[in-house]
Amino acid sequence: MGSMTIGAKYKTTIKDPGTAGILRMNDDRFTFTPNDPRSAMKFNVDFRTIKGHKFNKVEGNKAALLNLSKEDKAGGYIFEFDNVGNRDLCRDFVVASAALEQLSAAEVERRVKLLREDSELQKLHKKFVLGNILQESEFWATRKNLLDDEANKRSKQRPGFKNALVDIKPTTDGRTNKVTFQITPEMIHQIFAEKPAVRRAYLDFVPKKMSETRFWEKYCRAEYLVRTKNTAAATAEAAGDEELAIFLKNDDIVAKESKMKIKRVDPTLDMEADTGDDYIHLPDHGIHRYGNKETVDADSDLARRTLSQDLNRHAAVVLEGRSLDVESTDPKTSAEALVRSKKEPPSTSIVDDANHERLVKVARMTEIEDLQAPRSLPYAPLCIKDPREYFDSQQANALRSLGGSNAGRKARTCSLSTEEAFHHLMDQMSSIKVNKLNCPIIQSDMALKVLNELNEGISHSRRLNLKNPQEGLLGQLPQHTRDELMDHWTAIQELLWHFWSSYPITSAVLYNKVQRVKEAMTQIYQKLQLIKESAQPDVRHEISRLVKPMTQALDAAFNHDLEQQQKSSKTGNRHNGF
Amino acid sequence: MTSAHSKLYSDDVSLVVVVVDTNPFFWAAAALPFADFFAHLIHFVNSILLLNHLNRVVVIAAGVSSCAYILDSSDVSPSGGVGVSDTFDRASRKAEEFIAQDARATAGNGSVASANAASLLSGALSLALCYIQRIFRSGTRHPQPRILCLQGSPDRPEQYVAVMNSIFSAQRSMVPIDSCIVGTQDSAFLQQASYITGGVYLKPQELNGLFQYLAAVFATDLHSRAFLRLPKTLGVDFRASCFCHKKTIDMGYVCSVCLSIFCKNQKKCSTCGSEFSRVMPDLNSMPDQSK
């Protein structure tokens, strides 16, 4: 598309006085060479790394700035120009350069999705963009908020762990003494997440010391022993088999983690009643687990896991969320991955650097994204009252201007002075006292007259106020005419938006755009005329009433354009690029 | 329009506060003599009192320089009687006193122009609303209040702000304002008042049958209005008057902070003090192209 060379100052920040130099722009890159050959501020940047541009409004003595922002918002390149014209030239070049129009795949996908969902939008898009009247960028320029909404709708939620505790329930067949356990990779993953000691044991033992099946056999055996409350057998076996002992002991990793947490005055709620509470030790008390009531045996050092401890640990892990995907069914990789994801807290003394602690704590936090509010600021349209009510209530004013129901009473001006007026009033009051109240206060025929008048008034206003939406203006037209007119109306609005926003015309790009838009407007104008002329006589009046504001708007736009052209031809060729 | 208090008292007990226009300049030139008007009024008051023995009526007179209570039906009369003639005696006596007092006040206050004098609608509405508030605070058992304005004099734009304030406070207390225009022109203030507060606006054609209008339209209590089809006004004149000159205007400038209305572009809002520092450019001139 060409290239451009212009003098400018490069600034690192807005306040920076800037290094003067030459800015050269090509189709795909721009270079800046400072005037002073010794300065280090020369660079050569590919347009592909520039994701956007910003420019400031120039008022008074402010300098004209153009900011080309980089992809990851890591800053940008700020250029100061001598005058606004130069800055605008650069800006238009940047805008027009094809490099900036490279959209990410996600953006394109969003646009396509939006078009698919909204058929009106699709129609407009087809008509204008594919008909070469507007460019893609111009079409989507006002619809940024739609695209943003679309982006935020994508759900970021990953499925978490199951809510139920991992309960390895064995199945027995009644005949032999065998007990069968079934463990799925999902369960394994959950076990590793909840019991870090088991995970550590797994990593240590498998496949060095024992095979995986053996490992799980031992684990299941330990679970079985705990479950059947066979403490004697458990102690015996633990003494004999150190691996088994690991499963039966308390999870020391968890214990360490909890200690660290408590040290940091972390608000953890431990719902377990403490041993001072005798309640658990009494017979017939305890929480149901494994089919019978669980009691805490304070003596033995094994099998001290209570249901509440397990629940707490389980809840904490579920809330933390799944840090990896479940696709990896290999227990080993999942165990290793879990180890990597959980950094061991450093075994520090109580005197810790507060900052460091906070950082470590933050490192273990998981952001729950789907509970956060959407990033885009929602907007609510301001609406105070139903605007249709206003027009209903103005009917009387309209009637009045046609000479309404006020005839019959003429205002008589009072030409008395203050004294005389009051005197008159006092006379009236005295006359009442003299006459007392005359009965009847009102004659019967007068009363009847009044009632009739009231009735008529009420039914009249009822008739006027009765609204049937089917009989509105649009309802009387045939369907296809109505659709056509609506289409034209939306098209006209879109075109007018682009037309008016292009003024004042300062560059060739805008000029071309205006020409294209004008051409499209002329075509619609002709179509509207055609509709008006070919309308059926009974709906002709309604159609012309509907078409009138559209043609008026188009006329206003054409007139404005004509004025502009006359002005510019009068003042000569002062505009860029004409 | 039922108020929130209707559950606490019998549904159809009402308190009607009647605001009567006693502008002598209007009545001197009115088609209906004031004596007849007063008679219609008294009969109407009595019929309301007949509908329910707990009903109460208060009549407030809006004069040129002052307003006062003419009648309060809960007052015990000195002679002890409660009949029609008794009400009439009390009311007429008080009315005479008031008119005399108003005459004195107006004579003393030379600034009131004669033919253009208006009745103090805003003052009377304020009195009515204060009375109603007192009723609200008297306990849980009280009648449902509403206001009826019998207006004849034309609207004065000077009273716009005060009248609108009273209307809004009536709306907030859920007190409907009914209006019956006995004059020749429609009153924009009262149209707006009835529209906002949910009352009835009526301009009777036959003033000799005023009592019939009042009894048919305005006598029913608020609860029963839900079952009746009352005259609905076709349109409301929503024009406002500007705060600076008190002229009625259709288009003007509005302060974006306090919503006060001005007819001319001003540097500073006189109500809330906010500055309007941006001067709007002349929209017809071209922006300067060369820079």
Side-chain angles (χ1 to χ4, degrees):
Chain A
M1 229 193 103
S3 68
M4 193 159 115
T5 309
I6 203 160
K9 280 201 212 146
Y10 167 65
K11 304 162 99 124
T12 38
T13 65
I14 306 236
K15 302 276 185 231
D16 184 14
T19 341
I22 313 274
L23 174 69
R24 278 193 194 85
M25 291 196 188
N26 272 338
D27 275 346
D28 52 355
R29 55 195 331 110
F30 67 92
T31 66
F32 179 79
T33 353
N35 286 337
D36 185 0
R38 290 165 301 174
S39 164
M41 290 290 189
K42 75 160 70 159
F43 47 77
N44 187 338
V45 180
D46 197 331
F47 264 133
R48 274 196 285 274
T49 61
I50 302 293
K51 281 307 167 199
H53 70 286
K54 290 202 285 272
F55 54 94
N56 66 345
K57 219 187 190 81
V58 180
E59 284 167 9
N61 285 338
K62 279 210 280 188
L65 298 171
L66 179 66
N67 184 352
L68 299 169
S69 40
K70 283 206 282 223
E71 183 170 315
D72 47 1
K73 293 193 176 57
Y77 303 94
I78 306 183
F79 294 102
E80 180 185 335
F81 296 89
D82 292 333
N83 56 41
V84 187
N86 284 348
R87 195 274 306 277
D88 285 344
L89 270 176
C90 263
R91 179 194 69 193
D92 293 335
F93 189 88
V94 167
V95 165
S97 92
L100 261 197
E101 292 317 335
Q102 281 171 2
L103 302 162
S104 59
E107 174 84 19
V108 170
E109 202 188 301
R110 256 181 261 152
R111 288 186 181 181
V112 164
K113 191 156 173 240
L114 256 182
L115 284 179
R116 236 205 324 255
E117 283 169 2
D118 190 354
S119 65
E120 289 272 344
L121 201 62
Q122 192 175 30
K123 267 195 278 191
L124 274 177
H125 188 260
K126 202 161 63 160
K127 202 189 296 206
F128 292 129
V129 177
L130 300 180
N132 274 337
I133 302 178
L134 292 175
Q135 287 181 358
E136 276 280 346
S137 57
E138 290 161 355
F139 184 78
W140 290 107
T142 33
R143 301 199 158 88
K144 276 213 175 65
N145 62 326
L146 284 177
L147 289 171
D148 284 342
D149 283 343
E150 188 58 47
N152 284 339
K153 256 197 281 181
R154 272 184 317 188
S155 130
K156 298 191 188 96
Q157 204 171 4
R158 284 189 296 245
F161 287 113
K162 284 209 180 53
N163 258 350
L165 272 188
V166 175
D167 218 7
I168 309 184
K169 255 191 146 111
T171 49
T172 51
D173 48 5
R175 286 178 275 129
T176 60
N177 246 356
K178 253 165 89 164
V179 174
T180 327
F181 290 89
Q182 243 191 338
I183 308 183
T184 62
E186 165 88 20
M187 287 167 72
I188 292 178
H189 192 78
Q190 198 154 359
I191 291 173
F192 283 159
E194 284 182 29
K195 299 181 185 162
V198 173
R199 180 183 70 219
R200 186 180 55 190
Y202 182 85
L203 287 173
D204 288 339
F205 296 157
V206 173
K208 285 175 280 180
K209 276 173 112 181
M210 59 175 89
S211 73
E212 191 172 333
T213 18
R214 230 22 227 117
F215 181 84
W216 289 116
E217 264 181 40
K218 293 209 174 171
Y219 179 79
C220 294
R221 176 143 192 89
E223 283 293 311
Y224 181 73
L225 288 172
V226 164
R227 187 194 191 86
T228 50
K229 302 261 150 273
N230 209 340
T231 31
T235 347
E237 295 211 15
D241 189 352
E242 68 175 62
E243 288 97 28
L244 203 64
I246 295 177
F247 300 135
L248 294 171
K249 261 200 317 218
N250 266 338
D251 198 329
D252 59 335
I253 302 184
V254 175
K256 233 193 316 180
E257 282 177 12
S258 321
K259 272 203 211 107
M260 290 303 298
K261 277 199 202 154
I262 297 295
K263 257 196 237 161
R264 274 188 242 117
V265 198
D266 198 4
T268 48
L269 179 63
D270 194 348
M271 284 186 359
E272 188 189 20
D274 64 355
T275 46
D277 221 345
D278 271 336
Y279 161 84
I280 296 290
H281 299 127
L282 297 175
D284 285 343
H285 281 85
I287 309 170
H288 270 270
R289 199 186 189 191
Y290 298 144
N292 45 17
K293 293 204 170 107
E294 175 185 72
T295 53
V296 170
D297 195 355
D299 304 327
S300 125
D301 148 85
L302 307 171
R304 232 206 289 179
R305 287 174 339 206
T306 59
L307 178 63
S308 46
Q309 277 178 322
D310 279 335
L311 275 177
N312 282 342
R313 176 71 193 164
H314 175 73
V317 168
V318 168
L319 282 178
E320 247 179 38
R322 212 184 260 281
S323 46
L324 343 145
D325 292 320
V326 193
E327 272 92 50
S328 55
T329 49
D330 182 17
K332 181 150 181 109
T333 44
S334 74
E336 281 175 346
L338 271 173
V339 167
R340 269 197 303 268
S341 67
K342 291 210 194 322
K343 295 190 260 282
E344 287 276 347
S347 54
T348 53
S349 61
I350 304 190
V351 180
D352 258 341
D353 191 16
N355 208 15
H356 180 65
E357 267 194 37
R358 226 182 308 126
L359 286 176
V360 171
K361 194 170 178 185
V362 166
R364 291 155 57 108
M365 283 190 211
T366 322
E367 183 189 7
I368 305 184
E369 288 169 34
D370 52 315
L371 290 182
Q372 285 180 2
R375 312 269 166 171
S376 64
L377 290 173
Y379 60 95
L382 181 65
C383 172
I384 299 175
K385 253 176 122 62
D386 186 3
R388 284 174 295 191
E389 273 186 35
Y390 176 76
F391 291 108
D392 291 342
S393 65
Q394 290 306 310
Q395 273 185 29
N397 292 338
L399 286 177
R400 206 179 299 139
S401 60
L402 301 172
S405 52
N406 261 351
R409 251 195 265 173
K410 293 269 183 57
R412 286 147 64 178
T413 52
C414 172
S415 47
L416 304 175
S417 73
T418 320
E419 265 188 56
E420 285 166 350
F422 274 106
H423 210 69
H424 175 89
L425 206 59
M426 295 294 283
D427 285 343
Q428 289 281 309
M429 286 305 300
S430 350
S431 75
I432 297 181
K433 286 185 122 163
V434 167
N435 293 340
K436 285 285 178 174
L437 292 178
N438 46 349
C439 281
I441 184 70
I442 184 172
Q443 300 299 322
S444 53
D445 52 348
M446 175 58 72
L448 189 60
K449 203 164 154 197
V450 166
L451 285 175
N452 283 335
E453 183 205 311
L454 280 177
N455 268 334
E456 226 183 271
I458 293 172
S459 41
H460 177 62
S461 67
R462 265 201 87 215
R463 273 200 305 271
L464 277 184
N465 280 339
L466 204 62
K467 279 189 295 279
N468 195 355
Q470 255 60 37
E471 293 166 12
L473 188 62
L474 281 179
Q476 294 172 13
L477 300 174
Q479 176 80 22
H480 68 277
T481 325
R482 199 189 324 167
D483 288 338
E484 219 179 311
L485 284 175
M486 298 290 265
D487 281 340
H488 284 313
W489 184 229
T490 31
I492 288 176
Q493 282 191 312
E494 180 77 16
L495 286 173
L496 283 176
W497 187 90
H498 286 286
F499 178 82
W500 288 109
S501 66
S502 310
Y503 276 93
I505 302 184
T506 48
S507 73
V509 174
L510 287 175
Y511 183 73
N512 288 336
K513 183 174 165 191
V514 167
Q515 298 302 96
R516 275 180 277 140
V517 168
K518 249 188 6 180
E519 215 180 284
M521 290 198 316
T522 335
Q523 282 181 355
I524 294 193
Y525 198 89
Q526 285 164 351
K527 282 200 201 132
L528 285 177
Q529 301 289 56
L530 212 64
I531 292 181
K532 256 203 314 201
E533 280 152 23
S534 65
Q536 299 291 328
D538 51 340
V539 293
R540 185 171 301 207
H541 181 63
E542 276 80 20
I543 288 187
S544 62
R545 271 177 71 188
L546 281 173
V547 169
K548 189 155 161 225
M550 299 192 229
T551 45
Q552 274 177 344
L554 288 175
D555 284 334
F558 287 139
N559 284 341
H560 183 77
D561 184 63
L562 218 57
E563 277 174 31
Q564 292 299 303
Q565 285 189 355
Q566 284 173 351
K567 272 211 172 136
S568 74
S569 63
K570 257 196 282 188
T571 57
N573 244 351
R574 289 169 81 198
H575 301 291
N576 302 329
F578 270 44
Chain B
M1 192 167 154
T2 56
S3 76
H5 309 277
S6 64
K7 301 278 182 292
L8 308 166
Y9 210 35
S10 168
D11 281 346
D12 54 353
V13 180
S14 32
L15 160 70
V16 184
V17 181
V18 185
V19 171
V20 174
D21 181 7
T22 59
N23 181 1
F25 300 103
F26 164 72
W27 286 114
L32 178 74
F34 185 74
D36 294 346
F37 168 77
F38 199 77
H40 285 283
L41 175 68
I42 294 298
H43 279 270
F44 172 64
V45 165
N46 282 318
S47 25
I48 292 186
L49 293 172
L50 277 176
L51 285 172
N52 189 312
H53 70 281
L54 292 170
N55 276 354
R56 290 164 64 169
V57 178
V58 174
V59 179
I60 297 178
V64 172
S65 308
S66 59
C67 309
Y69 293 94
I70 299 290
L71 173 71
D72 186 344
S73 65
S74 46
D75 282 345
V76 180
S77 84
S79 59
V82 189
V84 174
S85 51
D86 209 61
T87 325
F88 175 71
D89 287 334
R90 283 191 284 152
S92 48
R93 205 169 348 132
K94 273 268 184 69
E96 267 189 313
E97 282 171 22
F98 170 72
I99 293 173
Q101 173 208 340
D102 202 31
R104 283 195 297 273
T106 312
N109 181 8
S111 63
V112 174
S114 61
N116 292 339
S119 62
L120 291 179
L121 177 63
S122 53
L125 282 178
S126 312
L127 276 183
L129 288 168
C130 289
Y131 188 91
I132 289 173
Q133 275 299 315
R134 199 179 81 192
I135 296 297
F136 278 150
R137 285 158 213 239
S138 66
T140 51
R141 296 169 65 81
H142 60 76
Q144 288 183 54
R146 64 184 190 269
I147 298 179
L148 169 63
C149 291
L150 297 171
Q151 180 78 355
S153 330
D155 289 334
R156 303 305 310 159
E158 297 92 39
Q159 296 187 13
Y160 174 73
V161 179
V163 170
M164 291 312 288
N165 285 340
S166 333
I167 293 172
F168 290 135
S169 66
Q171 181 193 20
R172 192 147 190 281
S173 331
M174 294 199 285
V175 173
I177 298 183
D178 300 326
S179 352
C180 182
I181 306 296
V182 297
T184 47
Q185 308 162 345
D186 279 309
S187 158
F189 293 165
L190 288 177
Q191 273 180 345
Q192 295 185 39
S194 303
Y195 177 77
I196 293 181
T197 56
V200 179
Y201 176 89
L202 183 70
K203 184 155 176 287
Q205 302 290 5
E206 293 288 337
L207 282 177
N208 290 329
L210 182 64
F211 170 74
Q212 185 62 55
Y213 284 104
L214 294 177
V217 179
F218 297 110
T220 47
D221 55 279
L222 296 179
H223 178 73
S224 313
R225 281 189 188 187
F227 316 118
L228 295 176
R229 203 174 280 160
L230 294 172
K232 228 176 108 162
T233 177
L234 280 184
V236 183
D237 185 356
F238 280 120
R239 282 178 305 169
S241 10
C242 73
F243 283 40
C244 41
H245 307 105
K246 314 290 181 208
K247 296 183 298 198
T248 317
I249 53 175
D250 284 326
M251 285 211 301
Y253 296 84
V254 177
C255 167
S256 45
V257 175
C258 63
L259 299 182
S260 353
I261 304 168
F262 303 101
C263 51
K264 281 206 283 280
N265 195 0
Q266 303 203 336
K267 287 264 177 354
K268 198 168 123 143
C269 170
S270 51
T271 320
C272 64
S274 26
E275 311 235 322
F276 312 128
S277 52
R278 288 266 304 276
V279 175
M280 292 311 296
D282 183 9
L283 293 168
N284 288 331
S285 70
M286 277 298 302
D288 195 1
Q289 289 282 2
S290 67
K291 210 88 213 253

